[in-house]
């Protein structure tokens, strides 16, 4: 049974009779092949990528699995249409927190039409793409069963400046947004999600190593999708992941580093590293104050016993 994805945070959506992706319950994500060469470019990228024996296994895991194309009933009622059949990256996750970060200070590719370049340039200048080398395209952050998700409106996300981006990246790993979304984010999950061994920061650094050497592809207008299981975050089972999505504008790299993507990626890494460093500093203070031991908060009784013993 095909349905509109529950956790899509950006891009074209299949609701209200529009054309957009669909998912099934076997873990597949069906993205309609877009017009103007975009669909063909994306299929060509997946075919090239998965047949390229030079791509190391630890890099393949950053990309959705690809199962070819299939003609299925389109979401807009236009009848059977070709779709890319991809791995549904968030399948099996109950209430994931998800963020889409479009990488690159430039989202247009050199061969694009003047009209398309102007459209992209406008969006790049009016967002943080030009100033930071990336922009947040959409996000949702799970809070709890009562409050559900905190998901700012599209126009709010598009208006983020550097401070807005910093704050959104902190909110993405916070648990206190349902009380007051404007309150100082508590960054409760920063260490498990961003800083933990194998967490978001470590995965981004692994991806960066590949972008420092790969010259096969230039990824224009491509996004990092980062997500984790909020409900399991306090048990250390957040299973945070970094993936890449949207290859409708991937071009041949002609033996040249993709500096547009690499620069944006480094910039995202810097923002996240700052949050991790700040969190580590706070954790050290808590240990020094005797509030934490082995990474866990002590109970009030333990703190009282420590106090009596001192
Ligand atoms: O149609 P729009 O103006 O919403 O633009 C789409 C973008 O939406 P946004 O910039 O968020 O408003 C959309 O951006 P997001 O994925 O939402 O970040 C894509 O850039 C899309 O282009 P393509 O499908 O990758 O070729 C863009 O689609 P095209 O304009 O290229 O069809
Ligand atoms: N393979 C996937 N699995 C799960 N969600 C996905 C997948 N690919 C994309 N998405 C979701 O759809 C959104 C838009 O995807 P994208 O490929 O950028 O579409 P568009 O070309 O319409 O912009 C992403 O932000 C993400 O939330």
């Amino acid at each position: 049974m095909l349905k509109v994805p529950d956790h899509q945070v950006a891009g074209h959506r299949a609701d209200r009779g529009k054309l957009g992706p669909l998912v099934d319950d076997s873990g597949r994500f069906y993205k309609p092949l877009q017009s103007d060469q975009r669909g063909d470019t994306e299929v060509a990228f997946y075919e090239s990528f998965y047949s390229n024996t030079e791509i190391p296994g630890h890099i393949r895991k950053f990309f959705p699995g690809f199962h070819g194309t299939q003609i299925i009933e389109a979401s807009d009622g236009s009848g059977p249409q070709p779709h890319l059949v991809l791995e549904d990256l968030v399948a099996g996750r109950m209430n994931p927190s998800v963020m889409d970060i479009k990488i690159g200070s430039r989202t247009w590719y050199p061969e694009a039409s003047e009209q398309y370049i102007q459209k992209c340039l406008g969006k790049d200048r009016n967002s943080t793409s030009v100033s930071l080398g990336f922009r947040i395209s959409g996000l949702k952050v799970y809070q709890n069963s009562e409050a559900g998700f905190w998901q700012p409106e599209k126009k709010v996300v598009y208006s983020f400046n550097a401070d807005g981006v910093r704050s959104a990246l902190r909110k993405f790993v916070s648990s206190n947004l349902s009380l007051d979304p404007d309150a100082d984010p508590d960054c409760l999950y920063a260490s498990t999600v961003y800083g933990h061994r194998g967490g978001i920061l470590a995965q981004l650094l692994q991806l960066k190593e590949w972008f420092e050497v790969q010259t096969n592809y230039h990824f224009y207008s491509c996004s990092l999708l980062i997500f984790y299981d909020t409900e399991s975050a306090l048990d250390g089972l957040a299973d945070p992941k970094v993936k890449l999505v949207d290859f409708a504008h991937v071009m041949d790299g002609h033996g040249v580093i993709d500096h547009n993507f690499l620069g944006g990626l480094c910039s995202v890494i810097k923002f996240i590293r700052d949050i991790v460093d700040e969190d580590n500093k706070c954790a050290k203070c808590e240990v020094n104050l005797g509030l934490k031991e082995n990474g866990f908060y002590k109970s009030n009784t333990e703190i009282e016993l420590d106090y009596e013993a001192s």
Side-chain angles (χ1 to χ4, degrees), residues 6-292:
D6 286 332
H7 305 299
Q8 185 180 343
V9 293
H12 305 95
R13 283 194 58 85
D15 48 8
R16 283 172 269 155
K18 285 189 287 182
L19 186 63
L22 297 167
V23 288
D24 66 14
D25 41 26
S26 79
R28 294 198 168 181
F29 185 94
Y30 300 81
K31 178 174 172 177
L33 251 62
Q34 293 169 284
S35 54
D36 304 341
Q37 294 296 311
R38 283 179 290 174
D40 292 344
T41 303
E42 193 155 24
V43 174
F45 167 74
Y46 273 108
E47 286 173 345
S48 155
F49 182 81
Y50 278 110
S51 59
N52 187 339
T53 50
E54 284 172 23
I55 310 284
H58 71 277
I59 292 304
R60 283 184 187 217
K61 72 167 197 254
F62 287 109
F63 292 76
F66 172 58
H67 308 283
T69 59
Q70 197 177 318
I71 295 180
I72 59 161
E73 207 62 40
S75 62
D76 61 353
S78 58
Q81 303 288 346
H83 288 65
L84 278 156
V85 186
L86 304 172
E87 170 197 3
D88 180 359
L89 298 167
V90 293
R93 298 196 185 231
M94 275 300 284
N95 290 304
S97 292
V98 187
M99 184 185 283
D100 180 309
I101 309 176
K102 197 183 281 264
I103 304 293
S105 57
R106 198 177 101 181
T107 58
W108 51 275
Y109 53 100
E111 297 82 7
S113 69
E114 191 52 37
Q115 194 190 4
Y116 184 80
I117 292 176
Q118 288 309 322
K119 180 179 155 182
C120 292
L121 258 177
K123 289 187 195 176
D124 296 348
R125 287 177 180 149
N126 285 324
S127 67
T128 57
S129 291
V130 167
S131 54
L132 303 182
F134 69 91
R135 66 177 181 253
I136 296 176
S137 287
L139 76 157
K140 61 191 291 188
V141 190
Y142 186 71
Q143 292 299 285
N144 51 54
S145 54
E146 255 170 62
F149 288 89
W150 176 73
Q151 182 166 19
E153 279 179 37
K154 199 169 165 168
K155 66 170 192 284
V156 173
V157 176
Y158 287 9
S159 70
F160 286 160
N161 56 14
D163 283 342
V165 164
R166 195 173 290 113
S167 167
L169 285 165
R170 296 182 76 227
K171 285 180 177 171
F172 187 61
V173 289
S174 290
S175 71
N176 62 337
L177 311 177
S178 54
L179 305 172
D180 173 10
D182 296 323
D184 194 26
D186 62 15
C187 291
L188 185 64
Y189 313 124
S191 59
T192 10
V193 174
Y194 288 153
H196 200 262
R197 202 168 355 119
I200 299 290
L201 183 57
Q203 293 176 50
L204 291 173
L205 290 169
Q206 205 177 25
L207 194 58
K208 174 175 159 266
E209 267 184 37
W210 183 63
F211 273 94
E212 281 166 350
V213 292
Q214 83 81 21
T215 57
N216 284 329
Y217 309 107
H218 282 189
F219 292 84
Y220 293 102
S221 207
C222 171
S223 289
L224 290 177
L225 198 68
I226 61 176
F227 49 91
Y228 69 96
D229 286 330
T230 320
E231 281 168 303
S232 316
L234 280 179
D235 305 326
L237 301 171
D239 194 20
K241 286 277 183 293
V242 171
K243 300 280 179 176
L244 289 172
V245 295
D246 203 355
F247 310 109
H249 307 288
V250 175
M251 301 290 133
D252 189 329
H254 295 296
V256 175
I257 293 282
D258 186 355
H259 56 86
N260 181 55
F261 191 98
L262 180 58
L265 183 58
C266 290
S267 180
V268 173
I269 288 172
K270 168 73 177 134
F271 272 79
I272 292 186
R273 199 196 290 274
D274 284 351
I275 297 172
V276 171
D277 287 349
E278 193 186 321
D279 185 65
N280 283 343
K281 244 189 266 163
C282 295
K284 267 193 203 137
C285 293
E286 280 162 345
V287 171
N288 290 343
L289 287 169
L291 299 176
K292 251 185 172 182

